[in-house]
Amino acid sequence: MLRLPVLLAALVVSACSLSPGHRAPAPDALAGYRQAVVTAHPLATKAGLAMLERGGSPVDAAIAAQMVLGLVEPQSSGIGGGSLVLHWDAATARLSSYDGLAAAPARATASLRTDTDGKLLPSEPSQRGGRTVGVPGTVAVLAMAHRRHGKLAWGDLFGPAIDIAERGFPMPRYLHGILSAPGAAKDLAELRELYFAADGSPLPVGATVRNPAYAKTMRRLALGGPEGFLDGGGARAIVEAAQRGFRPSLMTEDDLRDYRAVERDPVCAPFLAYRVCTMAPPSFGGLVVLQVLQMVEARAGGRFDFDDAAFAHLYAEAGKLAQADRRQHVGDPDFVAVPVAALASPAYARSRAAAIDDARAAKEVLPGLPLPRAVALAPDGSDPVAATSQIAIVDRDGNALSITTTTNLNFGSRLLVDGFMLNNALTNFSAAPRPGTTIANQMAPRKRPVTSMAPTIVFDRDGRPVVVGGSAGGGPIVDYIASSLIEMLANGRTPAEALARGHLSTAAPGKVQLEKGTAATRLAPALAARGHAVEEVPLVSGLGFLKRTASGWIGAADPRRDGVALGN
């Protein structure tokens, strides 16, 4: 039986605007705490910590935190979306992962842009509206995790969200920034009553926001159990809401009631003296993170310096190789045979890393075929986009939890029902395949699209969790996580130091993106000289990590958003 040290926990507070140049993290606590929670908003973090203080488990704390996040950070996650859960049970030394991604309904076309008559729909409008809504999975997966790991009664976990929805909460800086974007009032018509003033401007930062409809939904869930999400007219309301917007949904009430969360085997691989564990497919994010870590270890010679152009080049080339592999091979494993073990193996990573030219970027990056008789699939051209939220929790008993949760694009489908947003997860499927080809991530009935989300737990040689966390932020999630792990594990950085660094990402095909307004942009000339197509862009991550030290857990939330890590 494995247990954490007696001392645990963490503290770092960070809240900021959308400005990509904001980089002033608070220092990590000098002494760690025994238990800790990090989320993307202080009210959610406090709700989770309150459950731990009442004797609840990390799953109990995560449910309370998620319900508050769906209220105060509605653009990113909620019960109308999907979630991935990675859980460590210290008493049994068992790592479990649970898949609650939103899924296609039983009636689905060849792609999101393919209409029921087989004709292609316009691209831009197809990113929003009813047809984009996947069957939500967050309530189902949280209920599964609670049945197995919960300690408090289900109905006791919704009090904070109900109270905050009724009393109101201050308009967050990050949400205000999104609502202030050009065209937001026009594009978010269903949200005007909640978040906009009479003149069409967003409520100012600090103004009180109330959501009584959300409070009613939370009460229904608290009193009716997980089934309360769909009972009492809930399923009908979701289906009716999904008929609005560009093209009505093909989802039915039966789709909602037939949805099941799935337990899947986590995927793990070595990095330095550690074992990094994360989500397997439909997450491609986990495999990309593991491949990048192993490839850079194979070639870095023990020096992992993101300020050095030589290492940045190595990291970028490793990322391109891993992305090529995932686009070729990764899809829903219930529909596609994904070579998970081969893609994550150290031998395969070393073979891929050996092909990296120290001096020049590869002109063409091809996927590998890690199995002798691997089926050659057409590459997936879809690119998951930003939004999403991250929760990480450790408790006094040594249990740990990382959840990444999403409605996909900011505000998902832009369809509001009973106080919460519906996702637009079906945009994560690939485009319709050309005749005669197959794509691992093409849409099909009840299939789940791939995702970059990769909740992660890292273990030391003794099998104890030493780092718990993950990130929001769309396709670049894989880089946000991989680079943060390199900083914390290879370079000994605190979470606050790791999360505040400027980003480098290869998630955009054929490009190396550097975070605009940060020191990372100093790499641009040297990378361009090596043949990389470099661009400077905002990279608004949503990282949240806890790290064990000799005195307990320390942690940080991403300084680019409103989050906070708290412990006791």
Side-chain angles (χ1 to χ4, degrees), residues 3-10 28 31-34 36 88 274 394-395 398 400 457-468 488-489 492-495 545-555:
R3 291 193 179 276
L4 286 171
V6 175
L7 293 176
L8 300 172
D28 293 274
Y33 292 103
R34 300 180 64 193
W88 169 252
Y274 304 95
V394 293
D395 72 4
I457 300 178
V458 181
F459 298 86
D460 64 13
R461 285 193 178 98
D462 297 322
R464 301 177 302 172
V466 291
V467 169
V468 181
M488 287 186 284
L489 301 175
R493 309 290 189 197
T494 67
F545 272 102
L546 303 171
K547 180 182 180 182
R548 184 166 56 82
T549 69
S551 61
W553 288 87
I554 60 174

mmCIF file of all heavy atoms in Angstrom, residues 3-10 28 31-34 36 88 274 394-395 398 400 457-468 488-489 492-495 545-555:
data_model
loop_
_atom_site.group_PDB
_atom_site.id
_atom_site.type_symbol
_atom_site.label_atom_id
_atom_site.label_comp_id
_atom_site.label_asym_id
_atom_site.label_seq_id
_atom_site.Cartn_x
_atom_site.Cartn_y
_atom_site.Cartn_z
ATOM 1 N N ARG A 3 1.397 5.375 0.369
ATOM 2 C CA ARG A 3 0.792 6.582 0.940
ATOM 3 C C ARG A 3 1.739 7.756 0.755
ATOM 4 O O ARG A 3 2.950 7.600 0.725
ATOM 5 C CB ARG A 3 0.491 6.400 2.431
ATOM 6 C CG ARG A 3 -0.636 5.416 2.701
ATOM 7 C CD ARG A 3 -1.080 5.527 4.153
ATOM 8 N NE ARG A 3 -2.160 4.616 4.431
ATOM 9 C CZ ARG A 3 -3.441 4.873 4.192
ATOM 10 N NH1 ARG A 3 -3.778 6.013 3.649
ATOM 11 N NH2 ARG A 3 -4.379 3.999 4.476
ATOM 12 N N LEU A 4 1.140 8.941 0.669
ATOM 13 C CA LEU A 4 1.945 10.160 0.592
ATOM 14 C C LEU A 4 2.564 10.464 1.953
ATOM 15 O O LEU A 4 2.135 9.945 2.976
ATOM 16 C CB LEU A 4 1.067 11.333 0.183
ATOM 17 C CG LEU A 4 0.633 11.383 -1.273
ATOM 18 C CD1 LEU A 4 -0.402 12.477 -1.430
ATOM 19 C CD2 LEU A 4 1.816 11.681 -2.163
ATOM 20 N N PRO A 5 3.559 11.335 2.004
ATOM 21 C CA PRO A 5 4.082 11.804 3.286
ATOM 22 C C PRO A 5 2.975 12.484 4.085
ATOM 23 O O PRO A 5 1.962 12.896 3.542
ATOM 24 C CB PRO A 5 5.158 12.819 2.883
ATOM 25 C CG PRO A 5 5.504 12.485 1.466
ATOM 26 C CD PRO A 5 4.266 11.915 0.870
ATOM 27 N N VAL A 6 3.197 12.591 5.386
ATOM 28 C CA VAL A 6 2.171 13.175 6.255
ATOM 29 C C VAL A 6 1.868 14.617 5.874
ATOM 30 O O VAL A 6 0.720 15.050 5.908
ATOM 31 C CB VAL A 6 2.624 13.099 7.727
ATOM 32 C CG1 VAL A 6 1.630 13.799 8.626
ATOM 33 C CG2 VAL A 6 2.806 11.654 8.143
ATOM 34 N N LEU A 7 2.893 15.369 5.501
ATOM 35 C CA LEU A 7 2.671 16.771 5.150
ATOM 36 C C LEU A 7 2.297 16.909 3.689
ATOM 37 O O LEU A 7 2.925 16.350 2.824
ATOM 38 C CB LEU A 7 3.936 17.586 5.435
ATOM 39 C CG LEU A 7 4.323 17.727 6.900
ATOM 40 C CD1 LEU A 7 5.632 18.474 6.999
ATOM 41 C CD2 LEU A 7 3.242 18.423 7.685
ATOM 42 N N LEU A 8 1.233 17.657 3.414
ATOM 43 C CA LEU A 8 0.769 17.905 2.055
ATOM 44 C C LEU A 8 0.437 19.382 1.880
ATOM 45 O O LEU A 8 0.374 20.114 2.847
ATOM 46 C CB LEU A 8 -0.501 17.081 1.789
ATOM 47 C CG LEU A 8 -0.384 15.574 1.917
ATOM 48 C CD1 LEU A 8 -1.763 14.957 1.819
ATOM 49 C CD2 LEU A 8 0.493 15.023 0.835
ATOM 50 N N ALA A 9 0.193 19.796 0.615
ATOM 51 C CA ALA A 9 -0.588 20.962 0.191
ATOM 52 C C ALA A 9 0.117 22.093 -0.495
ATOM 53 O O ALA A 9 1.273 21.984 -0.792
ATOM 54 C CB ALA A 9 -1.426 21.476 1.312
ATOM 55 N N ALA A 10 -0.593 23.190 -0.753
ATOM 56 C CA ALA A 10 -0.051 24.198 -1.653
ATOM 57 C C ALA A 10 -0.741 25.525 -1.570
ATOM 58 O O ALA A 10 -1.859 25.602 -1.167
ATOM 59 C CB ALA A 10 -0.173 23.686 -3.058
ATOM 60 N N ASP A 28 5.354 30.672 -4.587
ATOM 61 C CA ASP A 28 4.771 29.526 -3.916
ATOM 62 C C ASP A 28 4.968 29.662 -2.414
ATOM 63 O O ASP A 28 5.909 30.292 -1.936
ATOM 64 C CB ASP A 28 5.460 28.228 -4.371
ATOM 65 C CG ASP A 28 5.176 27.918 -5.817
ATOM 66 O OD1 ASP A 28 4.143 27.297 -6.061
ATOM 67 O OD2 ASP A 28 5.977 28.310 -6.680
ATOM 68 N N ALA A 31 6.217 26.863 2.920
ATOM 69 C CA ALA A 31 5.915 25.575 3.526
ATOM 70 C C ALA A 31 4.611 25.058 2.950
ATOM 71 O O ALA A 31 3.632 25.784 2.860
ATOM 72 C CB ALA A 31 5.799 25.723 5.045
ATOM 73 N N GLY A 32 4.617 23.811 2.535
ATOM 74 C CA GLY A 32 3.419 23.242 1.935
ATOM 75 C C GLY A 32 2.366 22.898 2.962
ATOM 76 O O GLY A 32 2.612 22.874 4.165
ATOM 77 N N TYR A 33 1.183 22.627 2.469
ATOM 78 C CA TYR A 33 0.057 22.231 3.306
ATOM 79 C C TYR A 33 -0.240 20.744 3.135
ATOM 80 O O TYR A 33 0.355 20.058 2.291
ATOM 81 C CB TYR A 33 -1.169 23.061 2.954
ATOM 82 C CG TYR A 33 -1.055 24.518 3.321
ATOM 83 C CD1 TYR A 33 -0.792 25.473 2.344
ATOM 84 C CD2 TYR A 33 -1.220 24.929 4.627
ATOM 85 C CE1 TYR A 33 -0.707 26.816 2.667
ATOM 86 C CE2 TYR A 33 -1.130 26.275 4.964
ATOM 87 C CZ TYR A 33 -0.878 27.207 3.982
ATOM 88 O OH TYR A 33 -0.782 28.544 4.306
ATOM 89 N N ARG A 34 -1.178 20.255 3.896
ATOM 90 C CA ARG A 34 -1.469 18.818 3.894
ATOM 91 C C ARG A 34 -2.455 18.419 2.811
ATOM 92 O O ARG A 34 -2.529 17.266 2.433
ATOM 93 C CB ARG A 34 -2.002 18.402 5.267
ATOM 94 C CG ARG A 34 -1.027 18.671 6.401
ATOM 95 C CD ARG A 34 -1.601 18.233 7.736
ATOM 96 N NE ARG A 34 -1.816 16.795 7.762
ATOM 97 C CZ ARG A 34 -2.534 16.169 8.698
ATOM 98 N NH1 ARG A 34 -3.123 16.873 9.654
ATOM 99 N NH2 ARG A 34 -2.670 14.861 8.660
ATOM 100 N N ALA A 36 -4.706 20.198 -0.815
ATOM 101 C CA ALA A 36 -4.719 21.386 -1.663
ATOM 102 C C ALA A 36 -5.655 21.209 -2.847
ATOM 103 O O ALA A 36 -5.925 20.095 -3.294
ATOM 104 C CB ALA A 36 -3.321 21.705 -2.157
ATOM 105 N N TRP A 88 -5.990 8.881 -8.416
ATOM 106 C CA TRP A 88 -5.066 8.011 -7.690
ATOM 107 C C TRP A 88 -5.642 7.680 -6.326
ATOM 108 O O TRP A 88 -5.944 8.568 -5.534
ATOM 109 C CB TRP A 88 -3.706 8.691 -7.518
ATOM 110 C CG TRP A 88 -2.775 7.976 -6.567
ATOM 111 C CD1 TRP A 88 -2.407 8.372 -5.322
ATOM 112 C CD2 TRP A 88 -2.099 6.732 -6.802
ATOM 113 N NE1 TRP A 88 -1.539 7.474 -4.767
ATOM 114 C CE2 TRP A 88 -1.329 6.454 -5.654
ATOM 115 C CE3 TRP A 88 -2.069 5.841 -7.879
ATOM 116 C CZ2 TRP A 88 -0.536 5.302 -5.542
ATOM 117 C CZ3 TRP A 88 -1.284 4.691 -7.769
ATOM 118 C CH2 TRP A 88 -0.523 4.434 -6.627
ATOM 119 N N TYR A 274 11.154 9.672 -13.204
ATOM 120 C CA TYR A 274 9.728 9.688 -12.887
ATOM 121 C C TYR A 274 8.928 8.796 -13.837
ATOM 122 O O TYR A 274 9.422 8.363 -14.878
ATOM 123 C CB TYR A 274 9.198 11.120 -12.972
ATOM 124 C CG TYR A 274 9.946 12.084 -12.097
ATOM 125 C CD1 TYR A 274 11.002 12.838 -12.620
ATOM 126 C CD2 TYR A 274 9.622 12.237 -10.760
ATOM 127 C CE1 TYR A 274 11.710 13.722 -11.817
ATOM 128 C CE2 TYR A 274 10.323 13.120 -9.947
ATOM 129 C CZ TYR A 274 11.368 13.860 -10.485
ATOM 130 O OH TYR A 274 12.060 14.716 -9.688
ATOM 131 N N VAL A 394 -5.298 17.239 -4.101
ATOM 132 C CA VAL A 394 -4.707 16.189 -3.266
ATOM 133 C C VAL A 394 -5.320 16.302 -1.878
ATOM 134 O O VAL A 394 -5.672 17.403 -1.429
ATOM 135 C CB VAL A 394 -3.173 16.319 -3.180
ATOM 136 C CG1 VAL A 394 -2.532 16.050 -4.532
ATOM 137 C CG2 VAL A 394 -2.757 17.695 -2.668
ATOM 138 N N ASP A 395 -5.459 15.153 -1.177
ATOM 139 C CA ASP A 395 -6.033 15.199 0.174
ATOM 140 C C ASP A 395 -5.052 14.668 1.207
ATOM 141 O O ASP A 395 -3.938 14.234 0.881
ATOM 142 C CB ASP A 395 -7.377 14.471 0.230
ATOM 143 C CG ASP A 395 -7.255 12.952 0.147
ATOM 144 O OD1 ASP A 395 -6.121 12.425 0.115
ATOM 145 O OD2 ASP A 395 -8.307 12.281 0.102
ATOM 146 N N GLY A 398 -3.446 11.094 0.912
ATOM 147 C CA GLY A 398 -2.559 10.761 -0.192
ATOM 148 C C GLY A 398 -3.261 10.509 -1.502
ATOM 149 O O GLY A 398 -2.621 10.121 -2.483
ATOM 150 N N ALA A 400 -5.149 11.578 -4.974
ATOM 151 C CA ALA A 400 -4.908 12.688 -5.900
ATOM 152 C C ALA A 400 -5.856 12.591 -7.080
ATOM 153 O O ALA A 400 -6.284 11.492 -7.468
ATOM 154 C CB ALA A 400 -3.460 12.675 -6.387
ATOM 155 N N ILE A 457 -0.803 12.830 -13.745
ATOM 156 C CA ILE A 457 -0.224 12.612 -12.417
ATOM 157 C C ILE A 457 1.150 11.981 -12.622
ATOM 158 O O ILE A 457 1.289 11.007 -13.358
ATOM 159 C CB ILE A 457 -1.109 11.719 -11.536
ATOM 160 C CG1 ILE A 457 -2.487 12.358 -11.328
ATOM 161 C CG2 ILE A 457 -0.437 11.473 -10.175
ATOM 162 C CD1 ILE A 457 -3.456 11.511 -10.500
ATOM 163 N N VAL A 458 2.163 12.544 -11.958
ATOM 164 C CA VAL A 458 3.530 12.061 -12.065
ATOM 165 C C VAL A 458 3.920 11.373 -10.760
ATOM 166 O O VAL A 458 3.643 11.897 -9.675
ATOM 167 C CB VAL A 458 4.505 13.220 -12.359
ATOM 168 C CG1 VAL A 458 5.934 12.701 -12.490
ATOM 169 C CG2 VAL A 458 4.079 13.973 -13.621
ATOM 170 N N PHE A 459 4.606 10.224 -10.887
ATOM 171 C CA PHE A 459 5.006 9.436 -9.723
ATOM 172 C C PHE A 459 6.528 9.370 -9.626
ATOM 173 O O PHE A 459 7.233 9.344 -10.643
ATOM 174 C CB PHE A 459 4.438 8.017 -9.822
ATOM 175 C CG PHE A 459 2.933 7.970 -9.835
ATOM 176 C CD1 PHE A 459 2.235 8.110 -11.023
ATOM 177 C CD2 PHE A 459 2.220 7.793 -8.656
ATOM 178 C CE1 PHE A 459 0.845 8.078 -11.040
ATOM 179 C CE2 PHE A 459 0.840 7.768 -8.669
ATOM 180 C CZ PHE A 459 0.144 7.908 -9.854
ATOM 181 N N ASP A 460 7.029 9.297 -8.381
ATOM 182 C CA ASP A 460 8.464 9.147 -8.182
ATOM 183 C C ASP A 460 8.841 7.674 -8.149
ATOM 184 O O ASP A 460 8.002 6.791 -8.393
ATOM 185 C CB ASP A 460 8.917 9.879 -6.913
ATOM 186 C CG ASP A 460 8.319 9.299 -5.621
ATOM 187 O OD1 ASP A 460 7.742 8.180 -5.661
ATOM 188 O OD2 ASP A 460 8.438 9.955 -4.570
ATOM 189 N N ARG A 461 10.101 7.375 -7.842
ATOM 190 C CA ARG A 461 10.580 5.994 -7.853
ATOM 191 C C ARG A 461 9.851 5.114 -6.841
ATOM 192 O O ARG A 461 9.761 3.897 -7.005
ATOM 193 C CB ARG A 461 12.083 5.961 -7.550
ATOM 194 C CG ARG A 461 12.960 6.417 -8.703
ATOM 195 C CD ARG A 461 14.414 6.041 -8.402
ATOM 196 N NE ARG A 461 15.306 6.405 -9.497
ATOM 197 C CZ ARG A 461 16.041 7.498 -9.529
ATOM 198 N NH1 ARG A 461 15.957 8.381 -8.523
ATOM 199 N NH2 ARG A 461 16.833 7.749 -10.548
ATOM 200 N N ASP A 462 9.348 5.731 -5.767
ATOM 201 C CA ASP A 462 8.644 4.983 -4.728
ATOM 202 C C ASP A 462 7.155 4.839 -5.020
ATOM 203 O O ASP A 462 6.404 4.318 -4.192
ATOM 204 C CB ASP A 462 8.835 5.657 -3.365
ATOM 205 C CG ASP A 462 10.289 5.677 -2.938
ATOM 206 O OD1 ASP A 462 10.994 4.678 -3.198
ATOM 207 O OD2 ASP A 462 10.718 6.693 -2.355
ATOM 208 N N GLY A 463 6.726 5.316 -6.182
ATOM 209 C CA GLY A 463 5.323 5.197 -6.544
ATOM 210 C C GLY A 463 4.429 6.231 -5.913
ATOM 211 O O GLY A 463 3.208 6.065 -5.882
ATOM 212 N N ARG A 464 5.003 7.325 -5.412
ATOM 213 C CA ARG A 464 4.200 8.378 -4.791
ATOM 214 C C ARG A 464 3.935 9.496 -5.794
ATOM 215 O O ARG A 464 4.852 9.897 -6.527
ATOM 216 C CB ARG A 464 4.920 8.957 -3.578
ATOM 217 C CG ARG A 464 5.244 7.967 -2.490
ATOM 218 C CD ARG A 464 6.024 8.631 -1.370
ATOM 219 N NE ARG A 464 7.267 9.232 -1.869
ATOM 220 C CZ ARG A 464 8.064 9.999 -1.134
ATOM 221 N NH1 ARG A 464 7.753 10.278 0.121
ATOM 222 N NH2 ARG A 464 9.185 10.494 -1.654
ATOM 223 N N PRO A 465 2.715 10.046 -5.817
ATOM 224 C CA PRO A 465 2.468 11.206 -6.681
ATOM 225 C C PRO A 465 3.348 12.387 -6.266
ATOM 226 O O PRO A 465 3.463 12.687 -5.079
ATOM 227 C CB PRO A 465 0.988 11.524 -6.444
ATOM 228 C CG PRO A 465 0.399 10.250 -5.919
ATOM 229 C CD PRO A 465 1.493 9.614 -5.120
ATOM 230 N N VAL A 466 3.973 13.019 -7.248
ATOM 231 C CA VAL A 466 4.812 14.188 -6.961
ATOM 232 C C VAL A 466 4.344 15.430 -7.705
ATOM 233 O O VAL A 466 4.653 16.554 -7.305
ATOM 234 C CB VAL A 466 6.291 13.924 -7.292
ATOM 235 C CG1 VAL A 466 6.875 12.916 -6.323
ATOM 236 C CG2 VAL A 466 6.462 13.444 -8.723
ATOM 237 N N VAL A 467 3.600 15.246 -8.802
ATOM 238 C CA VAL A 467 3.031 16.367 -9.547
ATOM 239 C C VAL A 467 1.642 15.956 -10.005
ATOM 240 O O VAL A 467 1.445 14.842 -10.498
ATOM 241 C CB VAL A 467 3.898 16.745 -10.768
ATOM 242 C CG1 VAL A 467 3.160 17.726 -11.672
ATOM 243 C CG2 VAL A 467 5.230 17.347 -10.331
ATOM 244 N N VAL A 468 0.676 16.858 -9.829
ATOM 245 C CA VAL A 468 -0.713 16.597 -10.223
ATOM 246 C C VAL A 468 -1.221 17.829 -10.952
ATOM 247 O O VAL A 468 -1.098 18.951 -10.443
ATOM 248 C CB VAL A 468 -1.603 16.326 -8.992
ATOM 249 C CG1 VAL A 468 -3.039 16.033 -9.424
ATOM 250 C CG2 VAL A 468 -1.045 15.175 -8.155
ATOM 251 N N MET A 488 9.343 21.647 -14.113
ATOM 252 C CA MET A 488 9.224 21.201 -12.723
ATOM 253 C C MET A 488 10.080 19.978 -12.421
ATOM 254 O O MET A 488 10.683 19.877 -11.354
ATOM 255 C CB MET A 488 7.755 20.917 -12.394
ATOM 256 C CG MET A 488 6.901 22.151 -12.240
ATOM 257 S SD MET A 488 5.204 21.799 -11.696
ATOM 258 C CE MET A 488 4.486 21.170 -13.218
ATOM 259 N N LEU A 489 10.148 19.026 -13.360
ATOM 260 C CA LEU A 489 10.832 17.757 -13.095
ATOM 261 C C LEU A 489 12.311 17.795 -13.457
ATOM 262 O O LEU A 489 13.146 17.244 -12.732
ATOM 263 C CB LEU A 489 10.136 16.628 -13.860
ATOM 264 C CG LEU A 489 8.659 16.401 -13.532
ATOM 265 C CD1 LEU A 489 8.079 15.333 -14.444
ATOM 266 C CD2 LEU A 489 8.469 16.029 -12.064
ATOM 267 N N GLY A 492 13.656 21.650 -11.752
ATOM 268 C CA GLY A 492 13.384 21.933 -10.343
ATOM 269 C C GLY A 492 12.580 23.188 -10.090
ATOM 270 O O GLY A 492 12.613 23.740 -8.985
ATOM 271 N N ARG A 493 11.833 23.670 -11.094
ATOM 272 C CA ARG A 493 11.040 24.876 -10.911
ATOM 273 C C ARG A 493 9.834 24.605 -10.010
ATOM 274 O O ARG A 493 9.297 23.496 -9.962
ATOM 275 C CB ARG A 493 10.524 25.392 -12.244
ATOM 276 C CG ARG A 493 11.556 25.561 -13.325
ATOM 277 C CD ARG A 493 12.506 26.700 -13.051
ATOM 278 N NE ARG A 493 13.354 26.947 -14.218
ATOM 279 C CZ ARG A 493 14.472 27.633 -14.179
ATOM 280 N NH1 ARG A 493 14.898 28.164 -13.038
ATOM 281 N NH2 ARG A 493 15.198 27.811 -15.276
ATOM 282 N N THR A 494 9.390 25.647 -9.329
ATOM 283 C CA THR A 494 8.117 25.571 -8.626
ATOM 284 C C THR A 494 6.987 25.671 -9.653
ATOM 285 O O THR A 494 7.202 26.146 -10.779
ATOM 286 C CB THR A 494 7.971 26.716 -7.621
ATOM 287 O OG1 THR A 494 7.870 27.955 -8.344
ATOM 288 C CG2 THR A 494 9.149 26.772 -6.655
ATOM 289 N N PRO A 495 5.777 25.266 -9.297
ATOM 290 C CA PRO A 495 4.667 25.456 -10.227
ATOM 291 C C PRO A 495 4.505 26.906 -10.668
ATOM 292 O O PRO A 495 4.258 27.171 -11.845
ATOM 293 C CB PRO A 495 3.457 24.947 -9.441
ATOM 294 C CG PRO A 495 4.017 23.898 -8.538
ATOM 295 C CD PRO A 495 5.369 24.441 -8.135
ATOM 296 N N PHE A 545 -1.329 23.278 -11.454
ATOM 297 C CA PHE A 545 -0.468 22.186 -10.996
ATOM 298 C C PHE A 545 -0.217 22.256 -9.496
ATOM 299 O O PHE A 545 -0.130 23.337 -8.913
ATOM 300 C CB PHE A 545 0.876 22.221 -11.724
ATOM 301 C CG PHE A 545 0.886 21.455 -13.013
ATOM 302 C CD1 PHE A 545 0.784 22.120 -14.218
ATOM 303 C CD2 PHE A 545 0.995 20.072 -13.017
ATOM 304 C CE1 PHE A 545 0.795 21.422 -15.417
ATOM 305 C CE2 PHE A 545 0.994 19.358 -14.209
ATOM 306 C CZ PHE A 545 0.900 20.033 -15.412
ATOM 307 N N LEU A 546 -0.083 21.078 -8.890
ATOM 308 C CA LEU A 546 0.373 20.910 -7.517
ATOM 309 C C LEU A 546 1.637 20.064 -7.554
ATOM 310 O O LEU A 546 1.736 19.111 -8.330
ATOM 311 C CB LEU A 546 -0.694 20.206 -6.670
ATOM 312 C CG LEU A 546 -2.066 20.877 -6.610
ATOM 313 C CD1 LEU A 546 -3.075 19.964 -5.938
ATOM 314 C CD2 LEU A 546 -1.981 22.209 -5.879
ATOM 315 N N LYS A 547 2.622 20.417 -6.711
ATOM 316 C CA LYS A 547 3.890 19.692 -6.686
ATOM 317 C C LYS A 547 4.273 19.398 -5.241
ATOM 318 O O LYS A 547 4.237 20.284 -4.384
ATOM 319 C CB LYS A 547 4.984 20.534 -7.359
ATOM 320 C CG LYS A 547 6.355 19.857 -7.394
ATOM 321 C CD LYS A 547 7.409 20.764 -8.031
ATOM 322 C CE LYS A 547 8.774 20.094 -8.079
ATOM 323 N NZ LYS A 547 9.809 20.978 -8.651
ATOM 324 N N ARG A 548 4.664 18.154 -4.991
ATOM 325 C CA ARG A 548 5.065 17.753 -3.635
ATOM 326 C C ARG A 548 6.510 18.144 -3.373
ATOM 327 O O ARG A 548 7.391 17.933 -4.210
ATOM 328 C CB ARG A 548 4.892 16.246 -3.459
ATOM 329 C CG ARG A 548 5.193 15.766 -2.043
ATOM 330 C CD ARG A 548 4.695 14.345 -1.805
ATOM 331 N NE ARG A 548 5.237 13.410 -2.773
ATOM 332 C CZ ARG A 548 6.448 12.850 -2.699
ATOM 333 N NH1 ARG A 548 7.265 13.185 -1.717
ATOM 334 N NH2 ARG A 548 6.849 11.994 -3.623
ATOM 335 N N THR A 549 6.731 18.726 -2.197
ATOM 336 C CA THR A 549 8.075 19.077 -1.746
ATOM 337 C C THR A 549 8.321 18.399 -0.404
ATOM 338 O O THR A 549 7.446 17.714 0.140
ATOM 339 C CB THR A 549 8.232 20.596 -1.580
ATOM 340 O OG1 THR A 549 7.432 21.032 -0.463
ATOM 341 C CG2 THR A 549 7.791 21.335 -2.830
ATOM 342 N N ALA A 550 9.507 18.603 0.149
ATOM 343 C CA ALA A 550 9.829 17.986 1.436
ATOM 344 C C ALA A 550 8.901 18.453 2.537
ATOM 345 O O ALA A 550 8.660 17.726 3.522
ATOM 346 C CB ALA A 550 11.280 18.300 1.801
ATOM 347 N N SER A 551 8.343 19.657 2.418
ATOM 348 C CA SER A 551 7.482 20.203 3.473
ATOM 349 C C SER A 551 6.002 20.103 3.148
ATOM 350 O O SER A 551 5.174 20.579 3.922
ATOM 351 C CB SER A 551 7.842 21.668 3.724
ATOM 352 O OG SER A 551 7.633 22.431 2.562
ATOM 353 N N GLY A 552 5.666 19.514 2.029
ATOM 354 C CA GLY A 552 4.259 19.393 1.657
ATOM 355 C C GLY A 552 4.047 19.776 0.204
ATOM 356 O O GLY A 552 4.976 19.801 -0.594
ATOM 357 N N TRP A 553 2.791 20.077 -0.143
ATOM 358 C CA TRP A 553 2.435 20.411 -1.527
ATOM 359 C C TRP A 553 2.443 21.915 -1.748
ATOM 360 O O TRP A 553 1.936 22.682 -0.925
ATOM 361 C CB TRP A 553 1.051 19.866 -1.862
ATOM 362 C CG TRP A 553 1.029 18.385 -2.006
ATOM 363 C CD1 TRP A 553 0.854 17.468 -1.014
ATOM 364 C CD2 TRP A 553 1.183 17.644 -3.218
ATOM 365 N NE1 TRP A 553 0.899 16.196 -1.526
ATOM 366 C CE2 TRP A 553 1.088 16.268 -2.875
ATOM 367 C CE3 TRP A 553 1.383 17.994 -4.546
ATOM 368 C CZ2 TRP A 553 1.189 15.247 -3.833
ATOM 369 C CZ3 TRP A 553 1.478 16.991 -5.498
ATOM 370 C CH2 TRP A 553 1.395 15.635 -5.140
ATOM 371 N N ILE A 554 3.027 22.330 -2.846
ATOM 372 C CA ILE A 554 2.920 23.714 -3.299
ATOM 373 C C ILE A 554 2.224 23.693 -4.649
ATOM 374 O O ILE A 554 2.156 22.657 -5.311
ATOM 375 C CB ILE A 554 4.285 24.407 -3.396
ATOM 376 C CG1 ILE A 554 5.210 23.680 -4.379
ATOM 377 C CG2 ILE A 554 4.935 24.506 -2.016
ATOM 378 C CD1 ILE A 554 6.524 24.387 -4.640
ATOM 379 N N GLY A 555 1.690 24.825 -5.080
ATOM 380 C CA GLY A 555 0.952 24.794 -6.334
ATOM 381 C C GLY A 555 0.724 26.172 -6.911
ATOM 382 O O GLY A 555 1.063 27.189 -6.312
#
